[in-house]
């Protein structure tokens, strides 16, 4: 009692703080220091590691609000990295006629489409990887004249 601490690893929090260490907060301390940095000793036996927890991604789709029919329109998709962990894998663009797919490079993909007159309702869908779950962007509407 008082000298043993069991710590479990959470991939989301590990990615958020870069695995910098452990900070204990003592809410019961009315006066004095409430925070304590703890040096961690390596366990005598290998740690038991459960299944990795993957991070929910933020998928961002950028495109102009207006476009010209038949002219090239650039659509950019980015899967935001968490603490420098860059997303890999593929992303699909829906709503531009035929489905378009691209491999992420540095967490980004660029699509060039030639829209028809009317309204486009675009959405990017990311398939996920070993670190990130699958996810999608909010829909974006482009008026094509």
């Amino acid at each position: 009692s008082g000298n043993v601490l069991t710590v479990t690893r959470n991939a989301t929090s590990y990615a958020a703080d870069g695995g910098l260490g452990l900070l204990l907060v003592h809410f019961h301390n009315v006066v004095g220091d409430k925070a304590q940095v703890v040096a961690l000793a390596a366990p005598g036996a290998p740690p038991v590691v459960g299944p990795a927890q993957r991070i929910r991604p933020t998928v961002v789709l950028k495109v102009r609000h207006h476009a010209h029919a038949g002219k090239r329109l650039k659509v950019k998709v980015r899967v935001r990295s968490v603490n420098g962990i860059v997303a890999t894998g593929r992303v699909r663009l829906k709503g531009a006629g035929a489905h378009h797919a691209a491999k992420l490079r540095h967490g980004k993909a660029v699509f060039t489409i030639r829209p028809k007159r009317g309204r486009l309702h675009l959405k990017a869908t990311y398939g996920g990887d070993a670190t990130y779950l699958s996810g999608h962007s909010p829909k974006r509407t482009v008026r094509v004249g």
Side-chain angles (χ1 to χ4, degrees):
S1 138
N3 62 358
V4 175
L5 174 67
T6 302
V7 178
T8 58
R9 189 184 111 180
N10 175 291
T12 304
S13 62
Y14 182 85
D17 74 3
L20 297 177
L22 180 68
L23 174 70
L24 295 179
V25 178
H26 301 274
F27 292 107
H28 62 272
N29 289 355
V30 177
V31 178
D33 294 329
K34 288 187 179 279
Q36 173 187 6
V37 176
V38 178
L40 300 176
V48 177
V49 179
Q53 293 180 352
R54 291 167 45 195
I55 301 167
R56 180 149 320 278
T58 300
V59 182
V60 179
L61 185 148
K62 288 188 177 182
V63 65
R64 292 191 323 250
H65 294 288
H66 303 282
H68 297 286
K71 301 285 184 178
R72 293 189 313 188
L73 175 64
K74 193 175 287 191
V75 181
K76 297 178 183 180
V77 177
R78 178 169 59 109
V79 179
R80 287 191 180 145
S81 63
V82 174
N83 207 41
I85 301 171
V86 178
T88 61
R90 298 185 67 78
V91 65
R92 290 182 296 144
L93 179 65
K94 294 181 180 179
H99 290 282
H100 300 273
K103 185 176 179 181
L104 290 173
R105 293 180 47 101
H106 309 291
K108 301 175 183 176
V110 178
F111 299 91
T112 302
I113 60 174
R114 291 183 184 268
K116 295 179 182 176
R117 186 175 306 276
R119 288 184 187 265
L120 288 179
H121 301 285
L122 301 175
K123 180 172 146 180
T125 303
Y126 170 58
D129 63 13
T131 303
Y132 294 97
L133 296 165
S134 61
H136 58 83
S137 70
K139 283 186 181 178
R140 296 285 310 266
T141 300
V142 179
R143 285 186 282 173
V144 183

